[in-house]
Amino acid sequence: MGNVTAIYFSPTGGTKQYVCAVARGLAEKFEEIDLANREARGQEHEFSAEDLVVVGVPVYYGRVPQLPDEMLRGLHGNHTPAVLVAVYGNREFDDALLELSDLCEKQGFYCAGAGAFIAQHTFSEKIAGGRPDAEDLKLAKKFGRGLKLAMAKKGERKVSVPGNRPYRTFEVAPFTPKGSKKCTGCGVCARECPAGAIAQEKPRETDAAKCIRCLACVKACPAQARKVGGPIYGVVARKLEKELTKTEKEARLFLP
Ligand SMILES: Cc1cc2nc3c(=O)[nH]c(=O)nc-3n(C[C@H](O)[C@H](O)[C@H](O)COP(=O)(O)O)c2cc1C
């Protein structure tokens, strides 16, 4: 096997933890590419057929997050195996793995294995709070180890993932985070926003057309000045809590 690279889009950190755990199961050492970083996303990365990538995204509305630019555009495989990871907040992953598999194939990769894992929901710490926990990450690492063995034994095999085409349609959540009076104008949120929806010179405002509601800015703000306020957010969060806190789901793994 050539180099292993952990590639993730992870605005609030859950996906990154899973992707790195899977990569640790595949190799002692691996590179990382952070696709939430707009600069890193704009760079070109080439991979050979001997390399292996682990590509992970959070599930948004049952889909891959829809950025203003193409998330995987800088990744170029050459019949490179990709282990796909979808991380979701205890509702469902719907068509996210299938969409990710299609996007990766367009970039020259093939799906060599896949996993759908649970992490705390972005909109409420009451939903799958504290996940991924130690057990979740142990399982993800074991999945990586198992995949390595299966690939060595069975050779090149494309793994199918569940989902439907056309992919699920959705309406974007009707709220965006904003900066409060506590905002010091430091610009961390503008730098950290994966969608480029916050201007350095006006960090209290959010471009609703670009914002993907990932809440990376809320997490990054050193003054805790960014919040999603308003009654609609409260109603959505309470509804999700009611529906998604009854039971916690388990990971689903797809191996060759
Ligand atoms: C806009 C948006 C839409 C989401 N849609 C879903 C969904 O359809 N199903 C689900 O189970 N979780 C959903 N989630 C929850 C995230 O998938 C989950 O919290 C994920 O762990 C976030 O990944 P991160 O920690 O890497 O940012 C959504 C979160 C956001 C922000």
Side-chain angles (χ1 to χ4, degrees), residues 4 41 56 70 92 135 151-152 175 195 222:
V4 172
R41 203 159 72 224
E70 279 181 48
E92 243 332 313
E135 281 302 307
M151 286 168 75
F175 45 75

Side-chain angles (χ1 to χ4, degrees), residues 46-95:
E46 296 275 344
F47 301 92
S48 77
E50 283 71 48
D51 293 329
L52 178 61
V53 296
V54 186
V55 186
V57 295
V59 175
Y60 284 5
Y61 318 104
R63 302 274 307 272
V64 169
Q66 309 291 305
L67 288 165
D69 56 313
E70 279 181 48
M71 192 195 288
L72 306 185
R73 71 184 187 284
L75 308 176
H76 306 284
N78 183 359
H79 206 67
T80 308
V83 180
L84 310 183
V85 173
V87 178
Y88 67 108
N90 207 43
R91 189 190 64 75
E92 243 332 313
F93 61 96
D94 299 306
D95 304 329

